[in-house]
Amino acid sequence: MAIIEINNATKYYGSIKALDNVSIKVEKGQIHGLIGVNGSGKTTLIKALVGIDTLTSGELKVFGENVFENPSIKARIGYVADRNRFFKYYTVDKLIKFYTEIYPTFSIEKFDKYNQIMQLPKKKSINALSKGMQMRLSLMLNLSRNPEVLVLDEPTSGLDVIAKKEILGFIINEVEEREMTVLISSHHLSELEMLCDDMTMINKGIVTSQSTVSQMKEQIKKLQVVFKNPIEMNALNDEFILDVTNVGSIYYIVTSNIENTEQKLKALDVSIVEEIPMNIEEIFVHTNKSKENNI
């Protein structure tokens, strides 16, 4: 069952098209990653998803209903923005009290359980907390609401390595225990690679790739190649070859069609052709390079 359904989402700011027919579905209990360079449209899409902004055209539903001006649906969604905008003169204690009054599902016991690990000073005012501490606070407050859907925009920004590991652990536990559904945007692609079931790549408001992490890794491959004799670089020009680098006699070739590229290499008299693993960050870079070259 799709909890989040985004169909042909398009958004203009004046004459600038921030989103161009973006479609995403997220099933119950899944963690879906949203990745793209700065200005690709991720935050625009997220703001529409949580009901802060509207689309120019297209459809966006959570639990089968529109989110904008729909308090009953918004109450079921947790949202952690890339910049936290709390009442800066509130103390942590006072903010917790505010959340208990606004959100009936908020659990002080759950917050305190998280805070045994995070150790936020409850008597401190929000503006006295560091950026990382404010991000921890936002994540803990939203998780303590027991949301059915959690939307995260750069949630590990400003967190140290230990806090990051703990927070991601909190999120995974909520998914496992309550089948919470998560949409997460982050520049830390190695984190998303370990965390997400599926990923959507966006470039200039357009979806460039959408699949499971394992499928994404099947789309682009890297080969380590040694030729028997020196070759000219232009011999490797090909629509499927996305990048070629070399260190001495060893060439590293990134391709979007491994069968085609291997056939081409055999014709060039190679002595070694070996596939080597790529991570999501490398795939992201080459996918976006390819997209730029085709524009």
Side-chain angles (χ1 to χ4, degrees), residues 18-19 34 37-46 202-205:
L19 295 173
L34 185 64
V37 297
N38 290 335
S40 60
K42 303 187 304 297
T43 297
T44 298
L45 184 62
I46 283 173
I202 298 182
N203 184 295
K204 295 184 178 179

Side-chain angles (χ1 to χ4, degrees), residues 10-20 56 204-205:
T10 299
K11 177 68 177 180
Y12 280 91
Y13 292 107
S15 61
I16 298 170
K17 188 185 279 189
L19 295 173
D20 188 354
T56 305
K204 295 184 178 179

Side-chain angles (χ1 to χ4, degrees), residues 1-30:
M1 174 188 172
I3 300 297
I4 297 171
E5 294 181 86
I6 302 168
N7 296 309
N8 303 315
T10 299
K11 177 68 177 180
Y12 280 91
Y13 292 107
S15 61
I16 298 170
K17 188 185 279 189
L19 295 173
D20 188 354
N21 289 306
V22 173
S23 294
I24 299 172
K25 287 188 179 181
V26 186
E27 304 293 321
K28 183 178 176 64
Q30 282 191 336

Side-chain angles (χ1 to χ4, degrees), residues 134-196:
Q134 288 189 29
M135 183 58 79
R136 278 187 254 175
L137 177 60
S138 182
L139 284 155
M140 289 159 61
L141 287 169
N142 275 277
L143 286 170
S144 299
R145 284 179 51 200
N146 293 297
E148 294 171 65
V149 171
L150 184 63
V151 180
L152 306 166
D153 193 358
E154 299 293 340
T156 58
S157 175
L159 296 183
D160 60 59
V161 174
I162 295 171
K164 197 180 293 185
K165 182 181 178 183
E166 296 290 357
I167 288 292
L168 294 177
F170 295 161
I171 293 167
I172 290 168
N173 285 341
E174 291 294 308
V175 172
E176 290 177 347
E177 291 175 11
R178 299 194 297 107
E179 286 194 284
M180 181 177 70
T181 304
V182 180
L183 182 79
I184 177 171
S185 165
S186 178
H187 285 105
H188 301 286
L189 303 190
S190 58
E191 292 170 10
L192 294 189
E193 185 172 352
M194 294 184 291
L195 196 64
C196 294

